[in-house]
Amino acid sequence: GENVEQHPSTLSVQEGDSAVIKCTYSDSASNYFPWYKQELGKRPQLIIDIRSNVGEKKDQRIAVTLNKTAKHFSLHITETQPEDSAVYFCAALGNTPLVFGKGTRLSVIA
Amino acid sequence: NAGVTQTPKFRILKIGQSMTLQCTQDMNHNYMYWYRQDPGMGLKLIYYSVGAGITDKGEVPNGYNVSRSTTEDFPLRLELAAPSQTSVYFCASSYLKPPGSGANVLTFGAGSRLTVL
């Protein structure tokens, strides 16, 4: 089955700097890669997703890149703000239900 | 549109007790899921359902049971609660088209915090 590895597990950045979170997946049949943000005590919510026929997708300060050959995808957050502090999960969808990475706790220091 | 509604929000159980976590969605989603999230950890899939009458095991099904008698409801049953089942449980739903044809955006419920003492 699918296996998703996510790095780093924790990340601290200064406000205004960029943050990058990386994920790798194992199943070459996976074709959909979402990112979820979970604020403390809240439910996970989708922030951006990418399909396998696209290499990059942007939404304001957030972007996701996908390298199908290497089986890895990344989340990029630019001009980080304190409200970006949260746990971020990547996931991959193939022939099985979404498989999530273990999460990255991002702290943005003002 | 309420989305995904879970009850109860909090529950304390004694070892060996049983309980059912309720989950209902009003978005006519075909897929429903139960995840557990241990403190500081990721989401582990317990069970999922691709439609009424069909359920499948996820990564950590032991100690749990589910049923899907209607499209809307997907209750999770804990039999003989154990301290290892102390966790936050999230129900989620999605509308999944045939494989390879599109996205699978999960809508999560607010979570149920369960403590087993």
Side-chain angles (χ1 to χ4, degrees):
Chain A
E2 177 64 274
N3 182 47
V4 177
E5 299 282 340
Q6 183 171 347
H7 300 280
S9 56
T10 59
L11 179 60
S12 290
V13 299
Q14 293 289 329
E15 183 178 358
D17 286 351
S18 295
V20 180
I21 303 170
K22 298 183 179 182
C23 289
T24 61
Y25 61 99
S26 60
D27 187 353
S28 55
S30 289
N31 55 19
Y32 172 67
F33 308 92
W35 287 87
Y36 284 79
K37 175 183 179 182
Q38 186 179 29
E39 296 175 353
L40 191 63
K42 302 266 181 81
R43 72 192 82 184
Q45 293 196 301
L46 180 75
I47 55 171
I48 195 167
D49 56 11
I50 191 167
R51 300 185 192 185
S52 58
N53 58 350
V54 175
E56 182 175 358
K57 183 176 177 181
K58 272 184 151 179
D59 183 3
Q60 298 183 330
R61 296 186 297 108
I62 292 173
V64 57
T65 58
L66 172 65
N67 183 329
K68 281 214 74 178
T69 305
K71 294 207 210 75
H72 67 70
F73 56 113
S74 301
L75 177 72
H76 304 252
I77 306 174
T78 59
E79 299 170 17
T80 52
Q81 299 167 5
E83 53 264 37
D84 294 328
S85 295
V87 178
Y88 292 81
F89 294 98
C90 62
L93 174 70
N95 295 320
T96 57
L98 268 180
V99 175
F100 285 86
K102 289 193 162 91
T104 297
R105 183 175 299 280
L106 173 64
S107 299
V108 179
I109 303 161
Chain B
N1 237 358
V4 178
T5 303
Q6 287 181 237
T7 56
K9 287 188 168 24
F10 303 93
R11 182 73 187 268
I12 297 174
L13 281 181
K14 293 183 180 176
I15 294 172
Q17 286 186 319
S18 300
M19 75 160 297
T20 299
L21 298 176
Q22 302 291 346
C23 176
T24 187
Q25 54 93 7
D26 61 0
M27 298 171 286
N28 203 30
H29 283 173
N30 51 354
Y31 274 56
M32 295 188 75
Y33 315 80
W34 275 105
Y35 289 90
R36 62 175 284 174
Q37 184 175 36
D38 298 333
M41 302 293 285
L43 297 154
K44 293 185 179 177
L45 184 64
I46 305 171
Y47 271 96
Y48 69 101
S49 168
V50 304
I54 306 169
T55 61
D56 278 294
K57 294 178 180 179
E59 184 185 359
V60 290
N62 290 345
Y64 307 94
N65 276 301
V66 293
S67 60
R68 184 98 182 267
S69 56
T70 66
T71 300
E72 296 78 20
D73 300 306
F74 191 43
L76 177 72
R77 176 95 178 146
L78 280 73
E79 305 281 2
L80 299 175
S84 60
Q85 293 178 304
T86 293
S87 191
V88 178
Y89 291 83
F90 286 100
C91 179
S93 70
S94 67
Y95 184 72
L96 188 65
K97 300 174 187 177
S101 66
N104 183 24
V105 179
L106 266 64
T107 300
F108 284 87
S112 298
R113 184 177 296 275
L114 176 67
T115 302
V116 182
L117 300 173

